[in-house]
């Protein structure tokens, strides 16, 4: 593919792109609420939680009061969502639910695709996660030795802040156009493209893209098709 011939590194979002958040979190949420007779639909709860998490991250970056980190904004969003559903937050419920994040699993086709891509590209995790959490996930849950693991904590702002993408390119010793952002989150693709990256939108759920001239270079449904397109 001529337009991507200059790409040397693939920078991967982890949450929702490499890691299957729905498949990893909805089942334990369902068991948790079921055991307590909470009468909460786990899938609906997770959708509310995920949406609120994005708001917490944007507020964290915009207010510039000090970067809280991924897990802290996730916990804030959880506590909000528990209250939204009439569930108390002062009995350790948030601690029990937050523990589920330690057991995230990748989508089933990811490792095979990474193995196909690694001879040609540097494979880099570029994530909103806390550095220690990313190391745990890469080693113990994904089981892949990335060429680099870059946390937004090094910048102090969540994606899609432009400093994140510029910092990653500089860290890798590359120009932005030599990096291709791979993400299932359209805001992440948009942020990367705005900084001069190439980008692939892994659109697992057939979602609409942002109303923007900054379009992805590739749109694929899974990592299998991503590897097919890049090799």
């Amino acid at each position: 593919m001529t337009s991507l011939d200059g790409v040397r590194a693939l920078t991967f979002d982890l949450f929702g792109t490499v890691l299957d958040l729905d498949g990893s979190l909805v089942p334990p949420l369902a068991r948790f609420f079921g055991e307590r007779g909470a009468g909460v639909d786990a899938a609906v709860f997770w959708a509310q939680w995920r949406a609120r998490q994005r708001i917490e991250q944007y507020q964290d970056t915009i207010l510039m009061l000090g970067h809280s980190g991924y897990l802290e904004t996730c916990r804030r969003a959880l506590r909000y969502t528990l209250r939204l559903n009439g569930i108390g937050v002062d009995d350790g419920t948030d601690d029990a639910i937050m523990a589920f994040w330690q057991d995230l699993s990748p989508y089933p086709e990811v490792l095979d695709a990474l193995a196909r891509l690694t001879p040609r590209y540097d494979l880099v995790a570029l994530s909103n996660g806390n550095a220690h959490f990313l190391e745990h996930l890469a080693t113990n849950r994904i089981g892949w030795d990335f060429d680099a693991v870059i946390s937004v904590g090094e910048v102090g702002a969540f994606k899609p802040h432009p400093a994140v993408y510029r910092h990653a390119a500089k860290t890798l010793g590359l120009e932005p156009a030599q990096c291709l952002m791979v993400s299932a989150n359209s805001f992440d693709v948009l942020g990367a493209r705005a900084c001069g990256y190439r980008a692939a939108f892994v659109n697992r759920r057939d979602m609409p893209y942002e109303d923007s001239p900054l379009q992805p270079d590739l749109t694929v449904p899974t990592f299998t098709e991503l590897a097919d397109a890049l090799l």
Side-chain angles (χ1 to χ4, degrees):
M1 186 170 296
T2 304
S3 64
L4 298 177
D5 280 349
V7 171
R8 291 177 52 191
L10 309 182
T11 57
F12 292 93
D13 171 71
L14 294 191
F15 300 114
T17 302
V18 170
L19 293 161
D20 178 5
L21 298 187
D22 293 27
S24 299
L25 294 173
V26 172
L29 282 170
R31 290 192 296 271
F32 183 87
F33 291 132
E35 290 167 357
R36 287 157 181 76
V40 175
D41 184 303
V44 172
F45 184 93
W46 165 240
Q48 294 170 335
W49 184 7
R50 184 64 165 157
R52 182 65 194 185
Q53 183 188 10
R54 297 261 171 78
I55 293 173
E56 293 290 346
Q57 290 175 348
Y58 286 137
Q59 288 180 166
D60 193 83
T61 296
I62 292 168
L63 291 173
M64 296 186 294
L65 297 177
H67 183 66
S68 299
Y70 188 88
L71 292 173
E72 177 58 30
T73 54
C74 185
R75 183 183 293 272
R76 288 180 197 159
L78 170 60
R79 292 172 67 87
Y80 177 95
T81 309
L82 287 168
R83 293 194 298 270
L84 182 66
N85 286 272
I87 300 172
V89 298
D90 297 323
D91 60 354
T93 297
D94 57 337
D95 288 330
I97 293 176
M98 284 299 299
F100 300 154
W101 283 84
Q102 300 300 315
D103 296 324
L104 302 179
S105 295
Y107 286 98
E109 86 286 358
V110 164
L111 289 177
D112 285 345
L114 295 180
R116 292 173 60 195
L117 291 163
T118 195
R120 182 166 178 178
Y121 301 99
D122 289 336
L123 306 185
V124 177
L126 176 56
S127 175
N128 276 338
N130 313 57
H132 64 89
F133 186 37
L134 297 181
E135 293 292 350
H136 159 68
L137 294 172
T139 302
N140 302 316
R141 302 305 304 166
I142 302 170
W144 185 265
D145 185 15
F146 289 96
D147 293 289
V149 176
I150 302 174
S151 167
V152 301
E154 298 172 23
V155 175
F158 289 106
K159 293 185 291 179
H161 195 290
V164 173
Y165 308 100
R166 293 169 183 159
H167 170 74
K170 182 178 180 180
T171 298
L172 298 172
L174 298 174
E175 294 297 323
Q178 294 177 297
C179 304
L180 183 137
M181 187 72 217
V182 179
S183 184
N185 300 302
S186 59
F187 69 84
D188 197 7
V189 173
L190 178 67
R193 292 288 288 119
C195 291
Y197 277 53
R198 316 315 294 269
F201 182 32
V202 184
N203 194 1
R204 295 184 180 277
R205 301 183 179 282
D206 195 26
M207 297 292 288
Y209 185 72
E210 310 293 328
D211 185 7
S212 169
L214 297 169
Q215 294 291 306
D217 296 278
L218 292 173
T219 299
V220 294
T222 72
F223 271 48
T224 301
E225 288 80 5
L226 175 71
D228 290 345
L230 292 176
L231 296 174

